[in-house]
Structure formats: structure tokens, C-alpha cells
Amino acid sequence: MSMTVVTLTKVPLSLRGDLTKWMQEIATGVYVGNLNSKVRGKLWERITQNVKKGQATISYHTNNELGYCCETYHTFRKIVDCEGIPLVQIPKSDNHNIELQKNFSKAAKFHKVNGINKSRYQKIGESIIENETQGYVVFDIETSGLDATSDKIIEIGAVKYSSGKIIKFDYLIKIDSIVPQKIVDLTGIDSKLLTEKGHDLSEVINKFIDFISNHVLVGYNINFDLNFINKTLDRLGLDPIDNKYIDLLPLVKREKMFIDSYKLSDVLLSYDIDSKVQHRALSDSEAALKLSNKVNGFAEKLKLKR
């Protein structure tokens, strides 16, 4: 149980009534109460679904550096994440002339968040696609199983964004064993397809190394993919990939703490991304590219990796 504060502005009366079942209204539109994480998550979900044209905020105790976390919905100012610290992003049209609230900047200094300036705050959460100086590669693989030591890569797909252009990479890979039926059912890739359209492993791996060059790599649960590729490179007598990389999964978990599942398909829905997860390397890479432009904190991570 943790202390929770909710504020509501210009919302339906029925929503205000619902909140009084769980919290106490101490001032007009201000509610306080002790809630567990499950109840709080469900309550916030109900608020955001029924707030209509109104505004809502929620703040609650948590074990981060500041000791609390907060979220907003339909408000002029937004909560953004900067290296694990929640900050208030103030649009340029605000009368405060895009300065951060003083209490947040002091807290950031107190917790030794160094080298952060106003321009960095303003850029958090902005679309990377609009910034042509930030090149990166989103990639995904499909495999014959989950064991990087004994199973094989059967497909590599990637999307490179660089200098305002998107370049795609998509190859099936031949293997010397039968594709398990559960993988066929999941991906639609069977042994016949690999025999007819697959390429030699060494050919595809070398093309992939050339494709990614020294770009920052991005993926959803990227450690799984990198581990598989580096094990494969080792078997081929090649050096492992040592590019800098960003895993979208922990960024999503930090921002979407109350969703029921972190499967890519469920995460895409939570960000209103209309892409179906087909368990094919290229299409899943394209979906992850869209996700990277929605996840709060990704832009800042990319800057730090360059």
C-alpha cells in the first residue's frame, strides 16, 4: 500500500463519484488514499478511459531515487523520464518560458544527475525520425529454438534509419536440420521455404555486419538476438558485434508499469501502434521502429549512445 494522490479537472461527475469509493476528496478534484499497485493501476486505467475532455494526474510513492512517481493525462505539461528521474516537460507556449520547475532541477542535482541542460529536457520523447543526425538500426531474428548454443538463426530482418532514409534488410537462412513444427506454426517459416529461398549463413551474417556498420542497434529484448548472433559469429570464427545498443523492453517497463503483458503485440497496442506481430524478422523490426518513436526516453538514450 502506498500514498496516492489523484487530481481531476473538468471530468464527468460519474468519474468523481467512482473515485470516492477508493479515495477521499480533500479539495475539489483532489483525491488521496492508500492503494496497492494493482488497484492503483486499474483505477488509473479507468480514469484515462473516462476522463473525456478533462485532465488527470496521479502521484504515488515508489522506490526510485526521488521516492515518488507521477503520470499525467490530457494535461498541458507532461511527465518525462530522464535517466530514471521524472521531470516536468513544459511546452514552449507555457508562460514559464520552457524552464523546468525549480523543485525538479534541485532534486536532479541532489541525485547527481550531471550534465543535463534545458535543450536535453526539451528533446525528451521527440520523434527520432525528425532528426536526421541520429542514425540507428532496428533488427530482429527468427530462430529454430531458444537455445543460442544448439538452435539456429533462420531469418534476420532489420530497418536502418540514416540521413532521413529507411533501408531494409531481409534474409532467410538455410539450416541443416528440420524446422520444429512449433516454429513453423509461430512464424510460417518451414524447411521447404528455407531450402527454396534461404541463403548461406556466412553470406547473410557478413552482409548483416556490413549493413549495421557502426550504427547504434535497437531491438525489443535485444539481448536475446545479440546473444544468438554473437554465438553464431563465434562458430564462424568471426568477431562478436560490439556496437552500442538500446533495448526497448526496459524503457517500456519503466513507462508502462501497469500493463498486463510485455509481449510485443500487447505493448504495441498500449502505444496505439497499428502493427501486427507476425513473428517475421523484418515486419517485427518495422514494428519496433515505430515503437522506438513512441517510447518515452528513447531519444535521450540514443543521444547518450552516440
Side-chain angles (χ1 to χ4, degrees):
M1 303 281 282
S2 60
M3 174 61 72
T4 302
V5 179
V6 171
T7 67
L8 299 178
T9 306
K10 297 180 180 179
V11 301
L13 290 176
S14 58
L15 181 56
R16 291 180 180 274
D18 283 348
L19 243 63
T20 58
K21 298 175 183 178
W22 298 95
M23 309 179 77
Q24 184 176 5
E25 188 173 14
I26 61 171
T28 303
V30 181
Y31 301 81
V32 298
N34 283 315
L35 306 174
N36 62 43
S37 59
K38 183 175 182 180
V39 171
R40 183 176 63 239
K42 293 294 184 182
L43 196 60
W44 182 242
E45 181 180 356
R46 182 172 180 79
I47 290 170
T48 56
Q49 289 175 349
N50 295 277
V51 73
K52 297 189 182 298
K53 295 182 180 180
Q55 300 176 341
T57 71
I58 186 170
S59 305
Y60 50 90
H61 171 75
T62 189
N63 292 323
N64 63 8
E65 288 185 277
L66 294 183
Y68 65 87
C69 190
C70 43
E71 298 180 54
T72 64
Y73 191 78
H74 282 178
T75 60
F76 188 62
R77 303 181 184 191
K78 296 181 179 180
I79 306 300
V80 295
D81 182 276
C82 185
E83 299 179 0
I85 295 177
L87 301 173
V88 177
Q89 184 183 44
I90 305 174
K92 291 182 180 181
S93 57
D94 192 284
N95 292 332
H96 292 271
N97 193 27
I98 69 173
E99 291 184 357
L100 289 172
Q101 288 186 353
K102 292 182 179 179
N103 63 310
F104 280 101
S105 60
K106 287 181 180 178
K109 289 178 181 178
F110 178 77
H111 291 290
K112 300 180 181 179
V113 180
N114 299 314
I116 302 174
N117 55 40
K118 292 178 186 176
S119 62
R120 285 181 63 187
Y121 291 131
Q122 295 160 16
K123 293 296 182 181
I124 295 173
E126 291 184 3
S127 172
I128 301 304
I129 295 300
E130 295 175 359
N131 188 344
E132 295 191 3
T133 65
Q134 303 286 333
Y136 61 101
V137 175
V138 185
F139 80 100
D140 183 56
I141 65 172
E142 300 301 331
T143 66
S144 63
L146 300 177
D147 190 336
T149 303
S150 58
D151 292 313
K152 307 293 178 61
I153 299 173
I154 58 176
E155 187 178 44
I156 301 179
V159 183
K160 180 193 296 180
Y161 173 76
S162 182
S163 301
K165 297 180 181 179
I166 291 178
I167 306 170
K168 299 179 181 180
F169 181 97
D170 185 25
Y171 283 92
L172 290 164
I173 299 173
K174 295 177 181 178
I175 60 174
D176 55 5
S177 57
I178 302 298
V179 179
Q181 188 58 45
K182 63 180 180 180
I183 301 299
V184 176
D185 295 339
L186 181 67
T187 66
I189 300 173
D190 57 19
S191 298
K192 181 180 179 182
L193 180 62
L194 294 183
T195 299
E196 294 176 350
K197 298 186 177 182
H199 297 256
D200 289 337
L201 174 63
S202 59
E203 173 195 351
V204 176
I205 285 291
N206 280 291
K207 285 183 176 180
F208 181 68
I209 298 299
D210 290 339
F211 182 81
I212 65 175
S213 184
N214 63 347
H215 284 290
V216 175
L217 302 179
V218 179
Y220 192 77
N221 194 22
I222 194 172
N223 288 304
F224 173 85
D225 305 270
L226 282 175
N227 184 43
F228 244 101
I229 287 179
N230 282 334
K231 288 282 188 181
T232 301
L233 288 168
D234 183 60
R235 287 196 293 269
L236 292 173
L238 299 173
D239 293 332
I241 293 173
D242 61 359
N243 295 46
K244 295 179 180 179
Y245 66 90
I246 299 171
D247 192 348
L248 295 174
L249 178 57
L251 294 178
V252 169
K253 285 185 174 181
R254 182 181 296 172
E255 185 177 9
K256 300 280 188 179
M257 293 183 287
F258 303 118
I259 60 176
D260 294 331
S261 165
Y262 289 100
K263 290 181 179 178
L264 181 57
S265 56
D266 294 327
V267 167
L268 293 175
L269 286 174
S270 74
Y271 282 94
D272 297 320
I273 298 174
D274 186 21
S275 292
K276 184 178 180 181
V277 176
Q278 301 177 353
H279 296 287
R280 293 298 301 267
L282 178 59
S283 62
D284 288 359
S285 296
E286 291 172 325
L289 176 63
K290 294 178 182 178
L291 179 61
S292 72
N293 283 278
K294 290 257 192 173
V295 174
N296 191 26
F298 174 75
E300 192 66 17
K301 278 280 189 181
L302 185 59
K303 288 180 187 178
L304 294 173
K305 293 290 184 179
R306 295 187 64 80

